[in-house]
Amino acid sequence: MWGDMMAYMGSYGWGHMFFGGLMMVLFWGAVIALAVLLVRGLTRGRGVLLSQQRPTALDLLQERYARGEIDQREYEQRRRDLQD
């Protein structure tokens, strides 16, 4: 049985089976890498827009003052601290 298989493989030996496995791993690695690059490329611009929409500390302070959570004295003190 093994003799027939070795005779069928000829002088190529077992190296082709290992080479085929390596090529399969490289192929799937390339497919996954391309998918990751594609997703990152399509979503790159959206992350910048989200970071620009985040309110600053001064904006949050003004909102708290407008809602009445802090009084004018506390607002002025914290605003000076933020601007320094």
Side-chain angles (χ1 to χ4, degrees):
M1 176 176 153
W2 290 103
D4 292 336
M5 185 168 48
M6 292 303 286
Y8 176 72
M9 294 178 78
S11 62
Y12 298 119
W14 293 95
H16 284 270
M17 284 197 293
F18 295 120
F19 181 72
L22 177 65
M23 292 307 290
M24 183 176 60
V25 169
L26 290 176
F27 171 77
W28 286 112
V31 168
I32 291 170
L34 285 173
V36 168
L37 290 175
L38 180 66
V39 168
R40 286 180 62 190
L42 292 175
T43 60
R44 180 173 294 159
R46 296 180 186 176
V48 173
L49 294 176
L50 292 176
S51 66
Q52 291 176 351
Q53 294 175 354
R54 291 178 46 186
T56 64
L58 189 58
D59 292 336
L60 294 174
L61 182 64
Q62 290 171 347
E63 288 177 16
R64 290 187 63 198
Y65 180 63
R67 286 192 299 254
E69 295 177 6
I70 57 175
D71 60 2
Q72 184 178 2
R73 183 179 55 81
E74 186 176 358
Y75 170 76
E76 293 296 331
Q77 176 62 40
R78 289 183 185 220
R79 185 176 56 84
R80 280 192 302 269
D81 290 343
L82 288 173
Q83 289 177 343
D84 289 340

